[in-house]
Amino acid sequence: MKKSLFTTTLAIVFALSAQGQDATATIHLGQGKQKINKEIYGQFSEHLGSCIYGGLWVGPESQIPNIDGYRKDVFDALKALKIPVMRWPGGCFADDYHWMDGIGPKKDRPSLRNNNWGGTIEDNSFGTHEFLNLCEMLGCEPYISGNVGSGTVKEMAQWVEYMTSDGDTPMARLRRQNGRDKAWKVKYFGIGNEAWGCGGNMTPEYYSNEYRKFNTYLRDQPGNRLYRIASGASDYDYNWTEVLMNNIGFQMNGVSLHYYTCSGWNGPKGSATEFSNDQYYWALGKCLEIEEVIKKHKAIMDEKDPEGRIGLLVDEWGTWWDEEPGTIPGHLFQQNALRDAFVASLSLNVFHKYTDRVKMANIAQVVNVLQSMILTDQKGTGHMALTPTYHVFEMYTPFQDATYLPLDLQTEIIPVSKEYFKKKENASDAGYRPCPIISASAAKTQDGSIVFALTNVSLDKDQTVSVSIDDFKAKSVSGRILTSKSVGDYNDFQNPNRVAPANFAGAKLGKDGSLSVKMPAHSIVVLTLK
């Protein structure tokens, strides 16, 4: 039987010996056709808590070292991450945001109350110029979320003109008056955000009409062509995708999808660092369920768009736990443990498999909010810590724009207590979700090397993974490992390197070019084979 190009065959073995059966993987070099879109490694920056202020931006007058107001240590860390795209200004904030409040002299910019996130007063000192200049400095594509919920067609159309017109137009003249002569390149533009919720509480039929109206007036300027993104579904709402595919169709270039690893939206979500074994395995099973969600949305899109012209953009994803004790309510500051690193690696492995349809993903969020890359000290000390999730993204950078290689994987399933799921009160999150011990992804880079990621999620069981690669005989292997004593371990300002990558010596090549990888329990390994 011919295997699908984009499907990893996963054989779950239920009856195993007490010692456990080692995993096996076969990588199919000759079946690699699709590029892993680098935009899958996108970031999300919202005016929420200290993501912008105190995270990305401290202002040029700050005592914290900065580059024209951008916090230097954060900037340097993001530069090293090779960020391909960053989304802004929201999120829910986007549909309360009026862009003209964030341009011109800082002293003249009006303030507003951030109604979505803690009632914080927003002074608009970080606006269009500050965001687009940051993207330019980082070398990443900006992804702008436009205001449909409380904005107007004229306002959005003028924003596009302000950013992208190099002609003698009213908005281009205003931009020049504000200190920027040359237009920016803005490719990705979202027409609304979460239109089913904080972006207007619309039905998909109503939003489709709003999209078509707004989209009509977003005119491409010479030298700049917009990739137009519709506000798509929340996780399991497949009807939303079907209605948009029918009613908007090829007037959109992409449609978004939001999916969080979260235990529910009512009541406590659980600590980011203190959790039981069952809660740990539940979280990994929940994050892996995004594969079924993608497959179902993809099936709807495939029927309407068999050529794959419309992209699926998972532009909000990641873990959502309780805010850290003592932090400001509504600012969503949460710690980031090794458990979160597993959610990142498992999710990225899924996105790789569906790169024919998944064209972008934006983890929420880049600094100090939810499953962030970086945490900064808000007391003015200038301390910073890279999270375990940051290290996963950094280790996975070779996958950006590499060619996805299908693989067959045999691994044991985690024996999670079914009693735990029976006790859960939130029906949408109840039920038993299988969690394989080993997850894997492989790709061929432009220089002909193979990059191979392996994740062993078991809390207590080491694994030896036997790997074969069709039509490839490796001469050398090198790699790094991310692990720690406990999956609840995290980095903070006192111990910023408690969870950090190290050189990995557990990969051995056989004379026939086969590969054996001895993985410790709860570890992530990324290998390069030449």
Side-chain angles (χ1 to χ4, degrees):
M1 181 183 295
K2 185 176 180 181
K3 298 179 179 67
S4 171
L5 180 60
F6 305 109
T7 302
T8 297
T9 302
L10 180 62
I12 304 297
V13 183
F14 287 90
L16 300 169
S17 67
Q19 290 76 27
Q21 179 176 311
D22 293 344
T24 63
T26 302
I27 300 172
H28 301 297
L29 182 64
Q31 294 184 27
K33 303 295 181 184
Q34 288 288 335
K35 182 179 71 173
I36 296 173
N37 307 296
K38 64 181 180 181
E39 288 81 7
I40 283 172
Y41 290 83
Q43 299 291 328
F44 175 29
S45 56
E46 182 170 5
H47 287 248
L48 196 175
S50 53
C51 181
I52 302 296
Y53 302 108
L56 294 173
W57 178 259
V58 293
E61 296 81 19
S62 175
Q63 296 302 308
I64 297 174
N66 65 86
I67 307 169
D68 297 329
Y70 306 106
R71 185 171 168 143
K72 186 178 186 305
D73 52 2
V74 172
F75 177 87
D76 291 342
L78 295 180
K79 188 75 171 177
L81 212 53
K82 300 180 181 178
I83 293 173
V85 60
M86 189 182 297
R87 182 172 180 245
W88 174 85
C92 291
F93 182 81
D95 284 277
D96 264 338
Y97 183 66
H98 300 281
W99 69 272
M100 283 194 175
D101 293 344
I103 61 173
K106 301 286 175 61
K107 63 180 179 62
D108 296 334
R109 299 184 187 184
S111 61
L112 77 152
R113 186 177 188 270
N114 192 329
N115 294 306
N116 290 289
W117 305 118
T120 304
I121 300 301
E122 160 72 50
D123 70 1
N124 278 307
S125 60
F126 188 96
T128 300
H129 287 249
E130 289 75 24
F131 174 69
L132 293 179
N133 288 343
L134 174 61
C135 290
E136 208 168 57
M137 293 163 66
L138 289 171
C140 72
E141 294 277 2
Y143 171 5
I144 300 290
S145 291
N147 182 350
V148 170
S150 68
T152 66
V153 173
K154 179 181 179 180
E155 179 183 21
M156 190 181 291
Q158 287 182 326
W159 199 9
V160 170
E161 180 187 324
Y162 184 91
M163 293 184 292
T164 63
S165 173
D166 255 335
D168 186 23
T169 65
M171 291 299 103
R173 291 196 296 269
L174 179 59
R175 184 193 67 242
R176 295 185 186 107
Q177 178 183 322
N178 289 328
R180 173 78 183 197
D181 179 54
K182 186 175 177 57
W184 292 281
K185 297 293 184 183
V186 177
K187 179 178 180 180
Y188 298 106
F189 197 93
I191 301 176
N193 166 76
E194 293 191 356
W196 38 265
C198 62
N201 283 301
M202 305 176 194
T203 65
E205 291 82 5
Y206 183 87
Y207 170 72
S208 295
N209 288 335
E210 288 292 281
Y211 177 98
R212 291 164 69 96
K213 179 175 70 174
F214 274 74
N215 183 54
T216 300
Y217 298 95
L218 303 186
R219 296 182 171 91
D220 291 325
Q221 300 294 324
N224 192 88
R225 187 173 183 85
L226 296 177
Y227 183 99
R228 299 150 192 268
I229 302 163
S231 174
S234 175
D235 42 47
Y236 313 102
D237 189 352
Y238 306 110
N239 177 65
W240 188 279
T241 298
E242 185 158 13
V243 171
L244 265 56
M245 291 297 294
N246 285 332
N247 293 4
I248 298 176
F250 295 111
Q251 291 189 41
M252 60 185 176
N253 301 109
V255 60
S256 70
L257 171 66
H258 291 179
Y259 185 92
Y260 285 99
T261 297
C262 178
S263 62
W265 302 109
N266 299 314
K269 298 176 177 62
S271 168
T273 57
E274 297 179 5
F275 44 85
S276 69
N277 292 354
D278 283 335
Q279 287 173 317
Y280 165 74
Y281 286 125
W282 174 87
L284 302 189
K286 170 68 173 175
C287 94
L288 283 170
E289 194 170 66
I290 196 172
E291 180 165 8
E292 286 302 310
V293 171
I294 288 174
K295 285 167 67 174
K296 290 179 180 179
H297 286 287
K298 181 179 182 298
I300 295 167
M301 298 176 73
D302 288 348
E303 182 179 352
K304 310 293 182 181
D305 172 30
E307 295 180 351
R309 292 164 56 188
I310 300 172
L312 181 62
L313 285 66
V314 191
D315 62 13
E316 288 188 31
W317 69 275
T319 58
W320 195 317
W321 312 120
D322 290 338
E323 297 165 334
E324 289 300 307
T327 61
I328 299 173
H331 281 197
L332 306 188
F333 182 94
Q334 71 183 38
Q335 250 300 348
N336 192 303
L338 185 59
R339 175 178 64 169
D340 297 278
F342 286 116
V343 170
S345 66
L346 296 179
S347 300
L348 291 169
N349 291 351
V350 170
F351 298 154
H352 292 173
K353 290 172 60 177
Y354 298 95
T355 193
D356 61 323
R357 184 65 77 174
V358 177
K359 301 303 181 184
M360 185 192 296
N362 306 78
I363 191 168
Q365 294 185 10
V366 64
V367 188
N368 291 330
V369 174
L370 300 178
Q371 192 176 352
S372 60
M373 302 292 110
I374 300 167
L375 299 175
T376 64
D377 191 344
Q378 300 306 295
K379 297 178 182 179
T381 63
H383 291 154
M384 182 195 80
L386 303 178
T387 67
T389 298
Y390 176 97
H391 293 307
V392 169
F393 270 66
E394 189 276 324
M395 291 169 67
Y396 270 56
T397 52
F399 282 102
Q400 294 188 23
D401 281 343
T403 300
Y404 173 71
L405 299 179
L407 59 84
D408 297 329
L409 178 66
Q410 289 185 322
T411 184
E412 183 184 351
I413 195 170
I414 298 292
V416 189
S417 168
K418 294 186 179 181
E419 294 303 315
Y420 170 72
F421 298 98
K422 292 178 182 178
K423 296 176 183 177
K424 292 188 69 60
E425 297 177 357
N426 190 326
S428 66
D429 290 316
Y432 180 68
R433 292 181 173 91
C435 184
I437 284 185
I438 298 294
S439 173
S441 189
K444 183 179 180 181
T445 60
Q446 292 183 354
D447 68 359
S449 302
I450 290 178
V451 57
F452 185 40
L454 285 164
T455 303
N456 177 7
V457 304
S458 174
L459 287 169
D460 55 11
K461 185 179 292 186
D462 297 348
Q463 287 281 285
T464 297
V465 185
S466 299
V467 185
S468 61
I469 307 172
D470 296 344
D471 305 316
F472 185 89
K473 186 173 182 179
K475 296 179 180 179
S476 67
V477 59
S478 61
R480 290 189 296 161
I481 184 171
L482 186 70
T483 189
S484 192
K485 291 181 180 180
S486 167
V487 292
D489 285 349
Y490 56 89
N491 296 329
D492 57 21
F493 308 125
Q494 291 72 42
N495 299 282
N497 296 308
R498 182 184 286 118
V499 184
N503 290 332
F504 179 65
K508 304 296 182 184
L509 290 173
K511 293 182 179 180
D512 59 352
S514 62
L515 175 67
S516 176
V517 186
K518 294 184 178 181
M519 297 189 70
H522 54 269
S523 66
I524 300 166
V525 170
V526 178
L527 302 172
T528 300
L529 296 97
K530 296 181 180 291

